[in-house]
Amino acid sequence: MRGIQVSQYVKGPEELRVTELPEPKPRPDQYLIEVHAAATNFFDILQIQGKYQHQPPFPWVSGAEFSGIVLAAPSDPKSAPKFPVGSRVFGASQGAYASRVCAAEHELLPVPAGWSFTDAAGLFVTAPTSYGALVLRAGVRAGDWVLVHAAAGGVGLAAVQVAKAFGATVIATAGTPRKLEVARQYGADHVVDYRDASWPDQVKKLTRGRGVDIVYDPVGLVDKSTKCVAWNGRILVVGFAAGKIEKVAMNKVLLKNISLVGIHWGAYAKFEKQTIPVVWQGIGRLIEQGKFRGTVFSDKEFVGLESIPDALLALGGRETWGKVVVKIPQSGQSKL
């Protein structure tokens, strides 16, 4: 097997190397997957630097999100395996930046009909985060105005699609003309450049002074968003891509009856397992209805394990949109 193993923390992705490694040995409850595509995430960069909250003991193979084909099912399952050998699956498990990875059944889902491995590889983290935030936590419904920050990012494009699928009017913010264009291509009704300090006023103008019903914020723009949220509005705290944890004056929350609502999708596996299949069923319906599609960055293609450092550098440099996914050709497959 080939993969990117981390034996000591590195300063950045440029120090990562692909090497020959022993074949992974799945636990009795794990599947063995042949990886055909691997998605990149900001936490992958933090993890190789030793800055993430989950740091495996050395040595470990980096990467988390993937898609591929089942090579072996659990040897000691409590029930019949859900995914027989040959199944096309996607999921998340430590060690995705390799030609093979092990994963438990709850970490896997079937690749949607008609979806490529490349599109499916970037689905496991972004789609449920955005669906869970907007549908479960904020109760999005037809007629709502939804403001999506960093709308051209992975969770952002997922949020745009989910909001539109439920009948909302979407205002998307982004920081470059290309990213604003991408947000429109995925369904945003209006776009606003948040490098312009007047963006809250622009949002209010678009809503004829009323403000938006829901703010989806993976950046850290809660305080400024209070200026353009409507009475009884909900502000979803999704993340802090800007790099700092905000402090918000609570009088602003009180005066407009604002609800500040957190979403920590990863914690549902611990605190609310029963909700996970409900969310994926909802996402599945949107896919079947043609209301949700893959969000893979397509301005540049990344092929082969050797291209993962470049993919991570592009992601970390904010040069990309959507999900940056690396195709992993297997033996006998062309890199072209």
Side-chain angles (χ1 to χ4, degrees):
M1 182 186 88
R2 300 174 73 244
I4 296 178
Q5 188 179 74
V6 177
S7 299
Q8 62 182 29
Y9 296 130
V10 297
K11 292 181 180 179
E14 66 277 2
E15 296 182 32
L16 297 175
R17 297 291 181 268
V18 179
T19 59
E20 289 291 334
L21 299 170
E23 288 283 316
K25 295 181 179 180
R27 300 192 310 263
D29 65 337
Q30 286 184 316
Y31 291 80
L32 179 63
I33 314 295
E34 180 181 71
V35 179
H36 283 248
T40 62
N41 290 283
F42 282 105
F43 61 74
D44 295 327
I45 299 173
L46 295 176
Q47 194 178 53
I48 62 173
Q49 295 171 330
K51 298 177 180 178
Y52 194 51
Q53 58 258 43
H54 303 297
Q55 296 293 152
F58 293 125
W60 46 272
V61 177
S62 59
E65 270 191 295
F66 62 88
S67 64
I69 295 175
V70 173
L71 294 179
S75 59
D76 186 25
K78 294 179 181 178
S79 58
K82 184 177 179 181
F83 305 108
V85 171
S87 298
R88 289 160 49 91
V89 295
F90 70 97
S93 182
Q94 185 69 52
Y97 294 164
S99 51
R100 297 187 177 189
V101 68
C102 298
E105 195 161 277
H106 70 272
E107 298 169 321
L108 298 170
L109 287 164
V111 172
W115 279 49
S116 68
F117 284 121
T118 307
D119 280 328
L123 190 60
F124 200 81
V125 172
T126 57
T129 297
S130 296
Y131 189 99
L134 288 165
V135 180
L136 300 184
R137 302 291 284 143
V140 65
R141 57 184 183 270
D144 280 345
W145 282 82
V146 177
L147 173 62
V148 179
H149 288 308
V155 290
L157 289 179
V160 169
Q161 293 185 89
V162 170
K164 289 299 297 178
F166 278 78
T169 299
V170 174
I171 302 173
T173 70
T176 70
R178 175 63 178 138
K179 291 180 178 181
L180 292 170
E181 175 189 9
V182 168
R184 277 198 182 277
Q185 291 172 351
Y186 276 81
D189 300 282
H190 309 278
V191 295
V192 174
D193 188 336
Y194 55 26
R195 294 174 302 175
D196 184 335
S198 71
W199 67 259
D201 295 326
Q202 295 179 49
V203 170
K204 285 199 72 173
K205 186 175 181 180
L206 287 168
T207 61
R208 297 181 182 180
R210 177 180 174 274
V212 296
D213 300 285
I214 299 171
V215 176
Y216 182 95
D217 180 22
V219 179
L221 293 169
V222 171
D223 188 58
K224 291 180 180 178
S225 295
T226 61
K227 298 177 182 178
C228 57
V229 71
W231 170 258
N232 278 336
R234 289 87 77 199
I235 299 179
L236 288 159
V237 182
V238 184
F240 312 97
K244 64 178 182 179
I245 308 299
E246 276 191 283
K247 293 182 179 179
V248 180
M250 287 295 112
N251 62 312
K252 298 177 182 180
V253 176
L254 180 152
L255 291 172
K256 284 189 174 181
N257 244 30
I258 297 170
S259 296
L260 297 181
V261 187
I263 173 73
H264 184 183
W265 176 249
Y268 275 73
K270 180 179 180 181
F271 295 107
E272 207 173 321
K273 290 182 180 179
Q274 70 277 12
T275 300
I276 295 174
V278 175
V279 167
W280 280 112
Q281 287 164 14
I283 294 167
R285 283 192 296 270
L286 297 188
I287 291 173
E288 290 171 5
Q289 295 165 4
K291 295 179 179 179
F292 194 99
R293 58 190 171 104
T295 61
V296 175
F297 175 69
S298 59
D299 293 357
K300 179 180 179 181
E301 191 173 49
F302 298 93
V303 182
L305 290 168
E306 287 80 6
S307 71
I308 284 174
D310 287 340
L312 288 171
L313 285 168
L315 176 71
R318 316 285 177 169
E319 302 168 13
T320 60
W321 52 263
K323 286 291 293 191
V324 178
V325 177
V326 179
K327 295 179 180 178
I328 313 293
Q330 294 292 331
S331 57
Q333 288 184 309
S334 170
K335 285 191 176 184
L336 299 179

